[in-house]
Amino acid sequence: MTTLAYNFQEVTARELRPGLLELDGISRETVEAHHKLYQGYVNKRNEILGKLAEVDLTAANQVYSEVRALKVDLSFAVGGIKNHEYYFEHLGGHGGDPDGPVAELIRRDFGSAETWRADLKATGMGGRGWAWTAYDWDERRLFNYIGDAQNTFPVWNATPLVALDVYEHAYFLDYQTDRGSYIDAFLNNLDWGVVNGWVEAYGIPVR
């Protein structure tokens, strides 16, 4: 028996901004390949939701069932979309020390931009897929969180402000196994104006 679970709409991948093809230390080839991977997540999100719309809900089982398999993989696909949209959106700047509201948050919660940068780099070196600087609404502070996949270790009620992709696809064409140099390049291309826009849009309190 098939039960219509819900209605859904397909989404389309965001276009690759031309400025992302001219990053300092991250090549056009890497960015184009990376964007194709993101497009794949969007396509799989649409495919999975299409199947879930007509899945047999009465056959759900925690050991194995179609609904379980689809929903686990949906979390990976949707995580891949969200993570990469953050990633691409805040690249294309000139890096350096943060300014504006995010600089105040970083000084307050890490002591200095240098300390924040060292902690984020160590988090990225220790992660298998992602590292985030996020504002935790419960603790009312920034923290650098680690992630091993698109859908692992989400921290509820926390808002990402910096999304560092450390999967090998993000840097191998340019740096082979030298992840540390890639992280430096990532930091040198951050657009702090975009990050400050998020701080303002989300209403993150600076004091």
Side-chain angles (χ1 to χ4, degrees):
M1 174 182 177
T2 299
T3 305
L4 182 63
Y6 55 86
N7 295 320
F8 79 98
Q9 292 183 335
E10 292 192 351
V11 298
T12 57
R14 295 181 184 179
E15 295 292 328
L16 186 60
R17 289 184 289 111
L20 294 178
L21 301 176
E22 300 177 358
L23 299 179
D24 182 15
I26 302 176
S27 68
R28 178 190 186 108
E29 291 76 15
T30 289
V31 172
E32 288 178 335
H34 203 162
H35 188 258
K36 287 180 182 178
L37 186 73
Y38 155 67
Q39 291 174 316
Y41 288 125
V42 172
N43 293 337
K44 282 301 177 183
R45 176 262 186 202
N46 293 334
E47 178 184 341
I48 293 169
L49 282 174
K51 292 179 178 179
L52 275 170
E54 298 183 351
V55 73
D56 183 359
L57 298 178
T58 65
N61 184 279
Q62 78 276 16
V63 177
Y64 173 78
S65 58
E66 187 177 14
V67 68
R68 173 182 165 77
L70 288 169
K71 289 206 170 188
V72 168
D73 290 340
L74 177 66
S75 72
F76 191 87
V78 170
I81 294 170
K82 293 177 183 288
N83 297 344
H84 284 95
E85 288 182 348
Y86 269 104
Y87 179 82
F88 289 125
E89 184 66 22
H90 68 6
L91 287 179
H94 301 291
D97 286 340
D99 55 14
V102 73
E104 295 185 50
L105 288 169
I106 286 173
R107 280 195 298 268
R108 185 194 70 190
D109 295 336
F110 289 91
S112 68
E114 182 180 4
T115 301
W116 164 78
R117 189 179 295 107
D119 188 77
L120 181 62
K121 185 172 183 178
T123 304
M125 294 299 292
R128 296 172 183 169
W130 288 88
W132 295 274
T133 299
Y135 180 78
D136 188 311
W137 290 92
D138 298 308
E139 296 199 8
R140 297 182 177 275
R141 59 156 293 157
L142 295 179
F143 194 80
N144 290 327
Y145 294 100
I146 203 166
D148 282 348
Q150 308 294 354
N151 57 346
T152 53
F153 317 139
V155 178
W156 304 123
N157 208 27
T159 299
L161 294 174
V162 175
L164 168 58
D165 189 344
V166 292
Y167 274 112
E168 288 184 350
H169 63 248
Y171 62 87
F172 196 82
L173 287 177
D174 299 325
Y175 295 99
Q176 287 76 53
T177 59
D178 185 4
R179 182 187 290 188
S181 292
Y182 155 72
I183 293 174
D184 292 337
F186 167 86
L187 292 168
N188 289 337
N189 284 280
L190 275 179
D191 188 332
W192 290 114
V194 171
V195 178
N196 278 316
W198 291 337
V199 171
E200 181 180 355
Y202 296 132
I204 295 174
V206 176
R207 295 180 180 83

